[in-house]
Amino acid sequence: MSLTPAITIHLVSAAAVLALGPVALWARQGARARPRLHRAFGYAWVTMMLVAATSALFIHDPRLPGLFGFSPIHLLVPFVYYGLYRSFAALARGDIAVHRQAMQGLYYQACVGAGVFALLPQRFLGQIVWGQWLGLPSIAVWPLLAAMVVMAVIAHRASARPSLIAN
């Protein structure tokens, strides 16, 4: 697999999603809410999520099992579309708790989860990061990926605690 325009767009938007998400989530946490920052980073995050999900439809790996060129990871695309719809529908109803749950779930499941999957040593991005950039043998990668999963679960559980701000 080579670095096609679809893969490049997907990688750039996915990297933006991973960087923007924590700021959007953090801006509504704690004793001091930052609604403008939350809204700005939230809209940027949603835009990049749509770009990442849509660009994924143009990425196919014939080595993976699938149907019509789509592998199981492509199931995240409708999950992302539905999650964004659910989040904005809840926001329109004024249901902030469901909005928060949907967005946090999207970030941790679709972004962090897919990111860990993409970094597996046999995947295209995993080969670039672990093999070419860091020069690590694949046996050394598995403990790092396990640590990333544990840290994501801890962060998700910490963010699921009730906020100090009233909704």
Side-chain angles (χ1 to χ4, degrees), residues 82-130:
Y82 173 74
L84 291 174
Y85 165 78
R86 179 175 172 243
S87 174
F88 280 102
L91 201 56
R93 288 189 314 270
D95 194 346
I96 303 301
V98 172
H99 171 74
R100 179 182 296 125
Q101 178 190 22
M103 287 302 195
Q104 287 176 350
L106 270 176
Y107 182 76
Y108 289 109
Q109 294 167 4
C111 299
V112 177
V116 169
F117 178 77
L119 289 173
L120 291 174
Q122 67 271 22
R123 305 274 302 164
F124 178 70
L125 186 60
Q127 290 172 0
I128 292 173
V129 171
W130 306 117

